[in-house]
Amino acid sequence: MVQHARFLGWMVVFATCLGGCPLVLQPEGGGSTPAADGSGSTGSAGGTQGGQVAGTDLAAQFPDCQKLADGGAWRARILELVNRERTRAGLATLTRNAVLEAQATQYACELIHYEYFSHINPFTGTELEDRTAEFGYVYAWIGENLAAGQPSPEDAFDGWMNSERHRNNILDPRFTELGVGVRTGGEYGIYWVQEFGTPRP
């Protein structure tokens, strides 16, 4: 059986991007964008300001996007692997952020539901900064890594680390927080999303 796997990395930043980012954008208003279409509890983990966590009823919105029995442990494992590599590189570790995690999880569901693999949703036209605004994460720096088809956290993480652009996001000293999404369904069977952020002071 041939296993299909894909990777994609993107960073949207407030200022210049260091080290080979796939795309660099400067959001208007210094990275602060209004929250929209939010529902659920407010997020304040790791310094996130205002906003509401969107997408609390993903099963209704994306019925073909399924939870994993070990989803919580797998998200924690990705964060552990990220922080291990950052420590080896002499960088500060990242903290889990519930808002970024909700954003990452919903985006994994979008990838599955709309059957595409990109940082831009071709059906809604939304990009990373739009999704970040939807969830009310007011950022100074934001970045995203995607992967699909890898059967374990270690496989997904190894693929990211073996790609310069993805590794640059993982080891970017400007990031302070991380949200991880992992869901099953769609063409590749399993989808991984990392949302990196630094809240705006």
Side-chain angles (χ1 to χ4, degrees), residues 81-93 157 161 171:
L81 292 168
V82 166
N83 283 334
R84 183 183 69 188
E85 291 301 321
R86 288 177 67 90
T87 299
R88 285 179 180 169
L91 301 171
T93 58
F157 187 76
M161 287 300 293
L171 298 179

Side-chain angles (χ1 to χ4, degrees), residues 12-53:
V12 176
V13 297
F14 171 69
T16 359
C17 179
L18 299 176
C21 298
L23 179 65
V24 179
L25 298 175
Q26 183 172 5
E28 293 183 19
S32 175
T33 48
D37 192 27
S39 60
S41 60
T42 59
S44 58
T48 301
Q49 303 174 21
Q52 294 180 321
V53 177

Side-chain angles (χ1 to χ4, degrees), residues 6-111:
R6 296 187 70 183
F7 295 92
L8 206 57
W10 187 6
M11 178 186 287
V12 176
V13 297
F14 171 69
T16 359
C17 179
L18 299 176
C21 298
L23 179 65
V24 179
L25 298 175
Q26 183 172 5
E28 293 183 19
S32 175
T33 48
D37 192 27
S39 60
S41 60
T42 59
S44 58
T48 301
Q49 303 174 21
Q52 294 180 321
V53 177
T56 54
D57 191 8
L58 293 179
Q61 289 180 274
F62 308 106
D64 43 353
C65 174
Q66 302 297 313
K67 291 182 180 180
L68 287 94
D70 296 329
W74 282 16
R75 289 191 301 271
R77 178 62 175 155
I78 291 288
L79 178 59
E80 177 187 349
L81 292 168
V82 166
N83 283 334
R84 183 183 69 188
E85 291 301 321
R86 288 177 67 90
T87 299
R88 285 179 180 169
L91 301 171
T93 58
L94 304 182
T95 59
R96 175 187 171 269
N97 181 280
V99 174
L100 291 175
E101 185 173 292
Q103 179 183 327
T105 301
Q106 179 168 303
Y107 198 56
C109 286
E110 288 185 36
L111 296 172

